[in-house]
Amino acid sequence: MTMYEIIAKKRDQKQLSKEEIEYFIEEYTAGNIPDYQASALLMAVFLNGMDEEETFCLTDAMRRSGETADLSSIEGIKVDKHSTGGVGDKTTLIVAPIAAACGVPVAKMSGRGLGFTGGTVDKLEAIPGFRTALAPTEFLELVRRTGLSVIGQSAHIAAADKKLYAMRDVTATVDSIPLIASSIMSKKLASGSDAIVLDVKTGDGAFMERQEEAEALGRLMVRMGEAAGKRTIAVITDMNQPLGRAVGNSAEVIEAIDTLKGCGPEDITQLSLALAGMMICAGGKAQSLAEGERMAQEALQSGAALQKLSDFIAGQGGDCRILNDYSLLPQPACCRQVLSAADGFVRRIAAKSIGMASQHAGAGRATKEEKIDLSAGILLQRKVGDPVKKGEIIAEVFGNDPQKIETAAAEVEKAFEISEKQPEKIQLIKKVLAEQGIEAKNI
Ligand code: URA
């Protein structure tokens, strides 16, 4: 078997065998296949797809390409949560403490942001003192003690994905259903949790722009999780406008805390309660998604989830005083207001453009090595459907570099569309997909 033959087979729209897929993953991870052949195969997969059997084989080979985490020393059903990536998505900071407050252990590995999407690890690092690089023993001990810990994604987990993702990122082969499904699920299955909740984004700020594609991706990942013996739920959610009002690391931490205090934006609160409810149900602490959501609401209202966030921050060396004093978070030196150019209603806030603007303000990175400005970001003062008058503030852009702020502010202005007629309300949660035992429902 040669790499040339494998590439030619996929180029000719044929099904790859288990042996061919395993050969590719093992040899590429070991450094025995050059990047030009790997990228040719990735493009052939991007163009011609993979059937379910091939995608399952690819995922399993990637899962076995590195270490697998052992969480068996932690009691209870450990639940993981993953988002396919969006703009302003700070839900992990909210749902993990809620689920943990309801007795569901959360031992989570999270990534950094790349391109227009943010990453949980960057957001957590905006908290002074917070450590995401923990030794495995400390990570497990924290989950045992507080019910919750989040660490940076280890390069040793699903090692093939790290190399393949970097290659996909520069060869325009990211947004492919089999490649995304195998990338996400190989990491989730190797991370050791017993159940998985997947937030699959759809819209202009998501990898899957069309809802049918997001649903196909969600269904495939649910089947993969269930086939591996893990209760898996996927929810299809809107990413046609940023989630919440804050985009940027420090600002998103503040919004997450506000949400746990019961005064967060409506969309973030709604999605967080739904996701936490799914985690509580998948973790066996509730009999239905509705009961899980009720429990999540109670943990929010009673302050138990906020207390869990405080324990979590303290456990990982962070300064808990930020919960009541936001000035302890990284502060921007400059701020620029973006004003509405017309009277009317906000018809659209292009999520991807806002994500790019936030990156250009300094909050994100174009390459993995780039240093980010944790104080930089965007605050949306209007969301889709809101009325606005000419000259009113629709957004604020902040950070430490005045030139970057100017560039970002111009992009934010272009991302807003104002119309005379009020647009229809965007449906945030579009569909819940689940297999075994949990009801799947259209919302
Ligand atoms: N997130 C991942 O981890 N992998 C992808 O391919 C896309 C989103």
Side-chain angles (χ1 to χ4, degrees), residues 19 41 81 84 109 131 196 233 248 274 300 328 356 384 409 434:
E19 291 70 31
L41 181 61
K81 172 249 163 201
T84 58
M109 286 186 197
R131 293 179 298 120
I196 305 162
I233 308 175
L300 195 85
L328 295 170
M356 292 304 295
V384 171

Side-chain angles (χ1 to χ4, degrees), residues 82 84 161 165 168 174 179-180 183-184 187 207:
H82 187 86
T84 58
D161 181 61
Y165 196 88
R168 287 165 59 207
V174 169
L179 296 179
I180 295 179
S183 164
I184 292 177
K187 285 179 292 208
F207 289 125

Side-chain angles (χ1 to χ4, degrees), residues 62 82-85 117 153 161 165 168 173-188 207 217:
M62 287 170 70
H82 187 86
S83 152
T84 58
T117 62
Q153 182 72 46
D161 181 61
Y165 196 88
R168 287 165 59 207
T173 51
V174 169
D175 35 358
S176 140
I177 290 179
L179 296 179
I180 295 179
S182 54
S183 164
I184 292 177
M185 292 308 285
S186 61
K187 285 179 292 208
K188 295 290 109 184
F207 289 125
L217 175 63

Side-chain angles (χ1 to χ4, degrees), residues 227-253:
K230 302 192 190 266
R231 187 173 248 196
T232 308
I233 308 175
V235 57
I236 311 296
T237 67
D238 182 78
M239 190 35 75
N240 278 304
Q241 68 170 333
L243 198 52
R245 294 183 179 274
V247 183
N249 299 292
S250 207
E252 291 192 43
V253 170

Side-chain angles (χ1 to χ4, degrees), residues 37 40 57 323 349 403 440:
Q37 285 191 311
C57 286
L323 295 178
I349 309 174
Q403 218 170 347

